[in-house]
Amino acid sequence: MASIRDVARQAEVAIGTVSRVLNGGSHVTDLTRQRVQKAIKELGYKPNPAARALRSNRTHLIALTLPELTNPFYAAIVEGVRQVFEPADFRLVLCSPNSSNNAVPQYIDMLANRYIDGLIVVFDRFSAADNNSIALFRLGRKGFPIVALGPGVASDKPDFDCITSQVPEGLKEAMQHLVEMGHREIAYFGPLKGVVEARLQAYRTALARHKIKIADSLIFRGETTLESGFSRAEELFQRQRRPTAIVAVNDMVAIGAMMALQEHGVSIPEEMSIVGIDDIPLASMVHPTLTTVFQPKEAMGRLAAERLLGRIEKRINSFSAIALSSQLIVRESTGPAPNFRPTTNGQPSAASAQNETMGKRRTLKVEEAAFKDQGNCIQRQRAD
Amino acid sequence: MASIRDVARQAEVAIGTVSRVLNGGSHVTDLTRQRVQKAIKELGYKPNPAARALRSNRTHLIALTLPELTNPFYAAIVEGVRQVFEPADFRLVLCSPNSSNNAVPQYIDMLANRYIDGLIVVFDRFSAADNNSIALFRLGRKGFPIVALGPGVASDKPDFDCITSQVPEGLKEAMQHLVEMGHREIAYFGPLKGVVEARLQAYRTALARHKIKIADSLIFRGETTLESGFSRAEELFQRQRRPTAIVAVNDMVAIGAMMALQEHGVSIPEEMSIVGIDDIPLASMVHPTLTTVFQPKEAMGRLAAERLLGRIEKRINSFSAIALSSQLIVRESTGPAPNFRPTTNGQPSAASAQNETMGKRRTLKVEEAAFKDQGNCIQRQRAD
DNA sequence: GTACACTTTGGAACCGTTTCGAATACGTAT
DNA sequence: ATACGTATTCGAAACGGTTCCAAAGTGTAC
């Protein structure tokens, strides 16, 4: 394998000159530059990244920890991150959790040990106050480039950037939407703890605002997977009384629930309305299409990547907590509750009036593209 | 940051001695070893991976390219790979395709440029004869540690190991299963080209063996995603005549199809039988549970990792094409075709006899665990 | 022709390991 | 006490880049 010395010999210049051609290239005549580039091409020379990393303290490697691989929400974030780091000539390392342990410790380790130049941590459903986070805070304080990313990461005084989206606000809209259509028994499917706890909290707050009693029996504890949504929905059929709507912690859970309901012949939204969160591609492809709280996933990924790159290149040295805007997208999976008649309509509600021909639900067409590239609501910022 | 010199000074030994304690540790007295280890702990010393990589030509980094992130099939493979590389103190880099380009080129590059010590390429649905593969073959010939992994990777004379599973054989069983239950119009959902082409071929061969005409109208070209399965199944409803069974290129497609069918009120398997391939966890959780061709995913990952590790450590220097066994798992999503009566039964077939009470389908209980850790059918092998 | 400023190039030092030949310490046989 | 073999330990030389300082080259003004 050709080294920089071979190139220097071939081009009849000093190794320092070759290095200068390689990086930036200032203070080199065109003539010598061409000679060097010719030699590089002839020898098929590629700089040794280990040597480079050793001398410059830059591995040009970024890690991105993901709580799970199979949720398309994360795929969109990865895409956004990549859009920033690929042009900057950084390589991206994806880290998923082991079967036994969480993904984070291993990659905290990689950061502390200079395998990677920076770390984007996508917090999972577990508490942000666990051991990993403590290690993360410590590294952040020491100045390692870290960005936290995810649904509802909350930290009062972060030692790194926190990028999130305003899901609770979007969820508030969603609850409003359901209540307006007469839903009073609204179930929640999802974890009770961790970074998505804010969603459950938003659900509760919204119910309280509308003076609807919060029934623990309507809160279904589960994971964030399709499977979990499926099995929670199955549980509904062991009950004598069912809710009229389900709010799911994310789209995968919502779609899992839809699958189970449709299998049992429950028609959506006539008999049951369903709301998801994320707006993954699948949400607009299933039938009925899924009403969901849009998150600007790629924009979150891009923003996280830009902040991280800024820290690595020492352009940025303040920490921000940034929340991108999030908004309800009404599609086909939500409709009026069974028996619901608008209050302006004085008729008594028919006993079990739901059927295929019942008045078609209002379908707001939201301009989705408008969200795709925005989101710039900086909430807090503090100096370095 | 403490370096090996700091440790040597603190422990009052030479740096070479510290290095020996770090690696293996032969030719060191217990006393000095303890002194060194004490110093390492006191200083919080961690070897610099860049320096290590530079000197030893080992980055201790392995890349694994995945065609897509969201299919659980790949998650299982990742898990198997990890089981081998984590104990060996290698770090795993996951690579997913960009929105614009394939994942492979970037990571071929990483291998050629010594960012990583080895590469496991999971071939995607695209042809194995494209540009990437050619670059891969070249690197393989040059002796870079590479293992190819995936459903139906075929190469007569590989310059690296190829790990696959005998899906065509399993699919043959599945077709047999369907034909025995009276199915004559069996659709295929999946890509027509690429490494999964062997599946379509197996489907065709099986039909031919049973003297069933192969109708192009029953071959539904699609992707390998849930969405694709969903939309192909939707297309069925635009036809006046539908098949009685669907064979899908993988479980995600099969489950997508199930979703669409159930939404339209088609009961499975009474009106439509469905067969998947892979046996992802979801397959045994949906209702009805999915009949599928099991692939030993973790075992494939482990085997690929072991071969790769062997090459990296220069223990192995031959190339093998290894196919692990794959087998049909019959669950609930397949049953007798509508109108089907076993030939031993002389009764004329009733006009549209399918209903809930119709004779329960035969349900083979396959001992799944038996597959989990085996699969050792070496097909071809050639010396270095 | 000489002094001076400025650009380009050369060459050495350094980054933090591993490795290997040389040096030392130690134990045993003579 | 001396010689010798073996088990440890030392210390220097890589590995392949980047960076910085000094040297050389070039052009302009006097």
Side-chain angles (χ1 to χ4, degrees), chain B residues 13-14 17 20 27-29 32 54-55:
Chain B
V13 296
T17 306
R20 250 171 292 132
H27 293 282
V28 185
T29 4
T32 40
L54 172 60
R55 184 59 231 233

Side-chain angles (χ1 to χ4, degrees), chain A residues 139-154:
Chain A
L139 281 186
R141 257 195 303 283
K142 282 188 186 169
F144 285 90
I146 297 174
V147 173
L149 184 57
V153 173

Side-chain angles (χ1 to χ4, degrees), chain A residues 53 170 265 283 295 299 311 331 339 343 347 378:
Chain A
Q295 287 203 69
R311 289 198 64 74
R331 295 208 186 91
N339 305 338
T343 50
Q347 281 182 273
I378 297 186

